[in-house]
Amino acid sequence: MKNAILILTLFFSIGSYACDCDGILTIEKAFKHSEKVFTGKIISIDPYNSKVYENGDETIEEYSNVKVKIEITNSFKGNSKKIIEIITGIGGGDCGYDFILGEEYLIFAYDNGIYTEKNDGIMETTICDGNGKMSDRKEWMNYLKKLK
């Protein structure tokens, strides 16, 4: 009986943290709800919001987010600099987007307080925002080029 309660507790705990994107995302909706829309190459991915502690003979670093540094190649919305840093989760139900170092993406970013404090000037993005590798976003790119 104790095992059943433990399993149910784990099931409901995990479910409460699962990422839930709101319906089907269109380019129009993604563009409207983002503060910055740009293409860029991922130049670094580093832990963000980390905690370091000692466990016997080893030092352990735990982190809940990543800071992604991006070299912007084209900006469609917002006054983006040449280099921008954005925060995203690490995955596993936190809505974090899994960027790959060296790849080029279409990115939708905003400062809405999912991973940091709202209105703190730190841009964020999630898997629900429309991000994608350039090779997967050709139709969306056509729409954005028409806006320019």
Side-chain angles (χ1 to χ4, degrees):
M1 183 64 174
K2 286 182 183 178
N3 287 340
I5 293 171
L6 176 62
I7 290 170
L8 285 174
T9 302
L10 287 173
F11 175 78
F12 287 111
S13 296
I14 291 169
S16 66
Y17 292 108
C19 182
D20 184 19
C21 299
D22 185 27
I24 297 172
L25 185 65
T26 64
I27 178 64
E28 295 86 356
K29 186 175 178 183
F31 188 82
K32 179 181 177 186
H33 293 290
S34 297
E35 292 175 44
K36 294 182 187 272
V37 179
F38 56 91
T39 59
K41 183 178 179 182
I42 308 304
I43 55 177
S44 71
I45 303 171
D46 296 304
Y48 181 79
N49 199 16
S50 63
K51 296 176 185 172
V52 178
Y53 60 92
E54 300 295 324
N55 185 12
D57 293 338
E58 64 181 341
T59 301
I60 298 175
E61 179 180 24
E62 293 181 345
Y63 57 98
S64 55
N65 308 108
V66 291
K67 178 172 51 175
V68 182
K69 188 182 279 188
I70 304 150
E71 181 178 9
I72 294 177
T73 53
N74 204 347
S75 181
F76 297 99
K77 185 176 181 182
N79 58 350
S80 299
K81 306 171 189 171
K82 182 74 173 152
I83 304 286
I84 188 171
E85 293 180 337
I86 60 173
I87 306 299
T88 193
I90 59 174
D94 69 359
C95 293
Y97 191 88
D98 189 21
F99 290 103
I100 299 171
L101 191 63
E103 292 286 337
E104 190 169 1
Y105 291 86
L106 172 60
I107 300 171
F108 299 83
Y110 49 86
D111 177 9
N112 78 342
I114 290 181
Y115 304 114
T116 65
E117 294 295 319
K118 188 172 181 138
N119 300 321
D120 62 2
I122 300 173
M123 293 289 111
E124 306 169 340
T125 197
T126 71
I127 60 172
C128 302
D129 297 321
N131 305 308
K133 287 184 182 179
M134 291 294 291
S135 58
D136 298 332
R137 290 288 186 251
K138 291 178 183 174
E139 288 181 33
W140 286 31
M141 287 301 299
N142 289 335
Y143 174 85
L144 292 171
K145 287 176 185 174
K146 289 178 186 175
L147 289 179
K148 267 193 140 176

